[in-house]
């Protein structure tokens, strides 16, 4: 049965009782009521309603223009697409739909890696890796001088690395020439990106340790070990040189000083001998025999002064008692003997002891008394 047919008692399926409810309010009537409150006549929106809408829209537009630039950022300010300046950090306002501001971080250090297998100048393949650190110094150039400044820098890094490695030898890349390759790559990279004005500044270039291909890695490890041994031997030789050279120079100086001292001594002795003979010459001319006899006696005295022999004229002298003072002062000789047990014993020999069988001293030589006695007999 339809809700408006007879017998349904006028029940509205939307919950309206008796059909008195006229449904949801009309939007036109709502705007008319608002217009009446603001002084309108109630016919549509009117001037007051339009003004209210415009005011609300202007407020929303104004509030939407506020934005914030962080401390580490700089804003690129465009008006209708034209660059008008750079915006510093802080709370800022821009005209929405008219101005555009692109924030760019200018404090952070960014890194771009580069790697690859590159053919060297001596026709060897080497695996190299490089990391470039840079930062943005000009926000506008970084945003609009190239389609993608990071991509452009990556391609320039790869080009610079291949150029430098391609003009270097593999031994230099793997060992001693790494620092030079790093500086050359840095300089070549700056030369490449300079015309493009990317607004970037290269802060550092890290040239990671290069390595040969896996197929020849063992052979190159042996070559590097041999080069390290060579450097170690060179350092050891230099250390030995630093140790021996001062010693040799000191010995040379000492020998030279001894030679000079000996020279001075010989010269002075010769000069003294010449002076002495020149002094004796007048005396010799005055009394040759006396001077000759005196010189002979002095020479014999000098020669026999260090001799322990005693000369005795036995024919013209009587009994003479001789005391061997030098033998008495000298301690008796010691003879060391050892038996089978390994114990060593020391025996002091008395030079005056006599041999029982021969009647001679233990030394085997007759004493001076015996010789004098035999001469008298």
């Amino acid at each position: 049965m339809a809700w408006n047919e007879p017998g349904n008692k006028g029940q509205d399926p939307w919950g309206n009782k008796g059909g008195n409810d006229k449904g949801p309010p009309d939007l036109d009537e709502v705007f008319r009521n608002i217009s009446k409150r603001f002084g309108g006549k109630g016919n549509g929106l009117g001037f007051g309603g339009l003004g209210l809408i415009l005011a609300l829209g202007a407020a929303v537009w104004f509030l939407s223009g506020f934005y914030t630039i962080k401390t580490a950022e700089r804003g690129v300010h465009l008006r209708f697409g034209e660059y008008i300046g750079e915006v510093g950090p802080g709370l800022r306002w821009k005209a929405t739909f008219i101005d555009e501001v692109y924030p760019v971080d200018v404090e952070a250090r960014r890194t771009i890696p580069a790697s690859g297998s590159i053919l060297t100048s001596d026709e060897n393949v080497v695996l190299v890796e490089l990391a470039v650190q840079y930062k943005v110094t000009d926000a506008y150039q970084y945003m609009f001088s190239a389609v993608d400044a990071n991509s452009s820098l990556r391609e320039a890094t790869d080009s610079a690395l291949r150029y430098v490695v391609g003009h270097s030898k593999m031994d230099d890349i793997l060992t001693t020439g790494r620092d030079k390759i790093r500086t050359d790559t840095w300089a070549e990279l700056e030369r490449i990106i300079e015309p493009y004005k990317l607004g970037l500044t290269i802060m550092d270039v890290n040239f990671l340790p290069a390595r040969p291909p896996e197929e020849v890695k063992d052979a190159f490890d042996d070559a590097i070990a041999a080069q390290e041994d060579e450097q170690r031997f060179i350092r050891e030789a230099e250390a030995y040189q630093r140790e021996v050279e001062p010693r040799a120079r000191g010995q040379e100086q000492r020998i030279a000083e001894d030679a000079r001292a000996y020279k001075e001594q010989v010269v002075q002795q010769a000069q003294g001998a010449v002076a002495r003979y020149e002094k004796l010459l007048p005396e010799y001319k005055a009394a040759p025999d006396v001077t000759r006899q005196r010189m002979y006696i002095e020479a014999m005295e000098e020669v026999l002064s260090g001799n322990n022999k005693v000369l005795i004229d036995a024919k013209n002298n009587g009994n003479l008692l001789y005391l061997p003072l030098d033998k008495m002062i000298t301690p008796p000789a010691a003879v060391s003997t050892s038996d089978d047990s390994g114990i060593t014993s020391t025996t002091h020999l008395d030079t005056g002891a006599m041999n029982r069988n021969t009647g001679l001293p233990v030394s085997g030589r007759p004493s001076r008394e015996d010789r004098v006695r035999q001469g008298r007999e």
Side-chain angles (χ1 to χ4, degrees):
M1 179 183 295
W3 65 272
N4 55 357
E5 289 182 359
N8 197 18
K9 299 180 180 181
Q11 294 183 355
D12 190 351
W14 304 106
N16 298 326
K17 296 181 180 181
N20 296 325
D21 194 352
K22 298 181 180 179
D26 192 0
L27 291 178
D28 292 336
E29 187 173 351
V30 171
F31 282 113
R32 280 194 295 270
N33 293 333
I34 294 174
S35 177
K36 288 178 181 179
R37 290 187 179 185
F38 286 93
K41 296 181 179 180
N43 298 324
L45 292 178
F47 178 76
L50 181 60
L52 177 62
I53 295 175
L54 292 177
L56 291 175
V60 172
W61 175 82
F62 179 79
L63 293 176
S64 65
F66 287 99
Y67 65 96
T68 302
I69 300 296
K70 299 180 180 178
T71 304
E73 295 178 343
R74 297 295 182 271
V76 181
H77 193 182
L78 304 179
R79 179 165 296 164
F80 296 112
E82 181 182 1
Y83 175 70
I84 62 174
E86 188 176 277
V87 180
L91 181 63
R92 305 290 177 176
W93 183 86
K94 62 180 178 64
T96 308
F97 307 121
I98 299 175
D99 296 344
E100 292 289 340
V101 177
Y102 299 93
V104 178
D105 192 343
V106 297
E107 297 293 336
R109 280 201 174 193
R110 309 162 189 249
T111 302
I112 286 183
S115 61
S117 299
I118 304 175
L119 184 67
T120 62
S121 61
D122 52 356
E123 298 181 355
N124 289 310
V125 177
V126 62
L127 302 177
V128 294
E129 295 181 0
L130 188 72
V132 177
Q133 294 183 0
Y134 67 98
K135 63 187 300 185
V136 179
T137 54
D138 192 317
Y140 172 72
Q141 291 182 354
Y142 175 75
M143 291 293 298
F144 300 104
S145 291
V147 176
D148 188 350
N150 296 326
S151 178
S152 299
L153 180 61
R154 185 178 295 106
E155 294 177 359
T157 302
D158 186 73
S159 176
L161 179 62
R162 292 184 180 275
Y163 175 80
V164 174
V165 173
H167 287 78
S168 304
K169 294 183 178 180
M170 188 169 189
D171 291 339
D172 296 336
I173 299 172
L174 297 178
T175 55
T176 58
R178 296 179 62 252
D179 188 65
K180 184 177 184 303
I181 293 174
R182 169 181 170 273
T183 55
D184 291 347
T185 304
W186 192 339
E188 181 66 17
L189 178 58
E190 289 183 340
R191 186 190 67 81
I192 293 175
I193 66 175
E194 182 179 3
Y196 295 97
K197 300 186 182 302
L198 300 179
L200 306 176
T201 299
I202 306 300
M203 306 302 297
D204 193 9
V205 175
N206 297 324
F207 188 75
L208 303 180
R211 61 185 186 277
E214 295 297 332
E215 293 78 7
V216 294
K217 185 177 182 299
D218 295 337
F220 274 97
D221 290 342
D222 294 339
I224 293 175
Q227 292 177 353
E228 293 176 352
D229 292 339
E230 177 187 4
Q231 296 299 324
R232 179 171 57 84
F233 291 148
I234 291 175
R235 288 192 295 269
E236 291 178 356
E238 291 175 349
Y240 178 74
Q241 178 186 4
R242 289 192 296 269
E243 178 183 359
V244 172
E245 185 177 359
R247 188 185 308 167
R249 293 186 182 276
Q251 185 176 2
E252 175 190 4
Q253 187 176 2
R254 180 176 58 82
I255 294 174
E257 293 293 337
D258 293 343
R260 283 192 290 269
Y262 177 73
K263 174 184 176 181
E264 294 294 333
Q265 179 183 359
V266 172
V267 171
Q268 292 178 1
Q269 289 178 353
Q271 292 176 352
V274 170
R276 184 171 64 251
Y277 281 109
E278 288 179 351
K279 185 177 181 180
L280 289 175
L281 182 59
E283 299 178 2
Y284 180 80
K285 290 181 179 181
D289 296 335
V290 177
T291 304
R292 186 184 300 108
Q293 186 67 22
R294 183 169 62 84
M295 291 176 62
Y296 174 76
I297 293 173
E298 291 177 354
M300 293 305 296
E301 181 182 1
E302 183 179 357
V303 171
L304 297 177
S305 62
N307 194 356
N308 58 0
K309 300 295 182 181
V310 179
L311 301 178
I312 301 174
D313 188 1
K315 295 181 180 181
N316 301 327
N317 294 305
N319 295 333
L320 180 64
L321 180 62
Y322 171 72
L323 295 177
L325 298 178
D326 55 344
K327 299 294 183 182
M328 296 174 64
I329 295 175
T330 305
V335 179
S336 299
T337 60
S338 59
D339 53 8
D340 297 337
S341 61
I343 300 176
T344 302
S345 60
T346 304
T347 304
H348 296 277
L349 299 180
D350 187 1
T351 57
M354 304 298 292
N355 193 330
R356 295 180 180 179
N357 297 327
T358 62
L360 298 174
V362 177
S363 61
R365 298 178 59 188
S367 63
R368 186 175 296 276
E369 290 81 357
D370 294 340
R371 293 198 301 272
V372 171
R373 191 183 302 111
Q374 292 175 3
R376 289 178 180 177
E377 292 175 358

